[in-house]
Structures are given as C-alpha cells and as structure tokens.
Amino acid sequence: MNIAALPYVMLLAFFFGSSLVVSRFSIGQFEPTTYIGIRMILSSVLALLVYAVATGRRLPRDPELWKRAGLLGIFGTALPMTCAVSSLQYQSSGVTSLLLATGPPLTVLLAHFLLPDEVLNRRQVFGVALALSGALVLALSGENGLPDVSEASPTGYLLAISATVCGAVMVIYARKHLRAYDSYDVGSIRIMTTAATVMPLSVLTVGFDLSEVDGAGLIALLYSALVGTFLGLLLSFYNVKRFGATPAMMTTYIIPIVAGVGGVLFLGEEITSAMLIGMVVIIGGIALLQEFRKPTGLLRRFPHRGSY
C-alpha cells in the first residue's frame, strides 16, 4: 500500500470505528430505528448540499440508477444497519465490529459461487476459512465484551451476522448492477433511500419519542451523521479515487481496534483474550485474501465498507 494513503486509512477507520462506539451510546437514549432514521436524514441533507455547491456535480436523474441504488440502500444499508445497531443492545461495539469485519471474506466466498469471474484460489479459500473461523471463536467463547453481563445473547450475534450477510450479498449486487455508475452518486442515493425507508418504518412501529434524549445524545447523533456517515462517505470516495481499493480493505483491519479501544475508554467495555484471538484470526484471513496485491474485481470498485 502507498505509504501516503496511511493517514487517510487511519482517519477513515477512526470515523467508522468511533461511529460504532457512538451508536452503542446512542441506543441508550434512542430506539435503534429512530436513531438510524434521523441520522440518515441529516446525512441526506449534507449529501444534497454537496450537489448544490460542488462544481460539475448534479443530482442524478437516471431512473435506472435510482432504482438500482435504491435497492442497495434498502437491503445493503437500511436492513444491515438496523441489524448492526440493534445488536449493540446485547454486546459491545468491539464484538459487533469484529463480526462485521467478516464481511469481505464472506463477500468473496459468495462471489465464488455467484459471479463467474470471481473464482477463489487455494490461498484465498484458506483466507476465507481463517477469517470466518475467527468469528466462530467469538461465538463459541460466548464473549459479549460487557463487564456487567456474564453471558452473551445469541440475539446480538444473530443480528450482527445478519447485517454481515446482507451487506455481502448486496456488494455482489452492486458489482453486477452498479459498477458503471459514479460512486458518490450511488452512495448518496443509498443514504437518501435508507432515510426514506427507516424513518417511516420507525414512526409506524415504535413511534417518535425523544423524551429520553439529552444534550449528549444529540451531540452523538450529530457526530454519527456528520462524521460516521457523511464524511465517511466522502473520505471513502476520495480514498478509492486516489489510492485504489487496497486502502479501503486496510480500513477493515483497523475498525475493530478503534471500536474496541473506544468502547473500553468511553463505555466501560472489555477486550478479552478471546476477542484478541478472534481479531488476529479474522484480520489474518482478510490479509490472505489480498495476496499482497490488488483486491479482486469484486472489491475494486465496491469495497465492503459501511458505518454503523
């Protein structure tokens, strides 16, 4: 990886990792869907402002792009983000981030069966198996990363794994149907569609009660919208354009570290030996997938990333 990309990789990992910590704090005051809905509405407003002020950039008018990117927003962001944030009710941000980090290996595995030009070699097969076994280590150990909860809830693991599976499937969808479009346009429509999906659903199912939200909760919401979603989108777009997809994959390695350390410092979470073993195994598996060269075509234009 180009050494010049390292500061940008670190910054993006901080954006996404800290957003996960902030999300866990926020669900103590918000219903998960309310939190996600408001957050994505704020991010949508910021994305629209870019179209309004940026030279040479206009809001897309292609109905096919809106349809395809809209589906990506519903099933590739709204659904997995709701699952991931909801999982934070049962386990630490560190544990959830480790489970989400298995997204790239799972994507590559599914692509082997679903895309004719994404065939795995032996080294990559071992990398996928190694990374997924790291998640299995966490599950078998029953870790939740919470000092005041003695036993992990299967619900938390199920929600995080569901988020990972949804994200992996939709990366393949994007590879097949969206690679010819501008990444910022796709990302912006993705954010707006998520807001338009989650917010009405939240109002219908849990209402719109902000009575438990204090000043810290509002600051956390604004931070996650501005930093974790909008600036994360811009920086991801910039990194891929300037440095290629390898730095985007490197970000995946660092997010669990940021989320784990941030959870310990600010939320009183724990980092256990089982979590450390799982982290090393998962990161080792992802590293093998790259084979010290550019990622596969699947991840070159749509690297598996997201903010929670």
Side-chain angles (χ1 to χ4, degrees), residues 209-231:
D209 182 9
L210 302 182
S211 60
E212 299 296 323
V213 181
D214 59 18
L218 290 175
I219 292 173
L221 175 65
L222 292 172
Y223 178 90
S224 64
L226 175 62
V227 176
T229 303
F230 178 68
L231 292 181

Side-chain angles (χ1 to χ4, degrees), residues 7 30 58 75-76 87 112 146 156 159-160 238:
F30 296 87
R58 298 177 58 189
F75 298 105
S87 76
H112 174 77
L146 303 177
L159 286 168
Y238 177 82

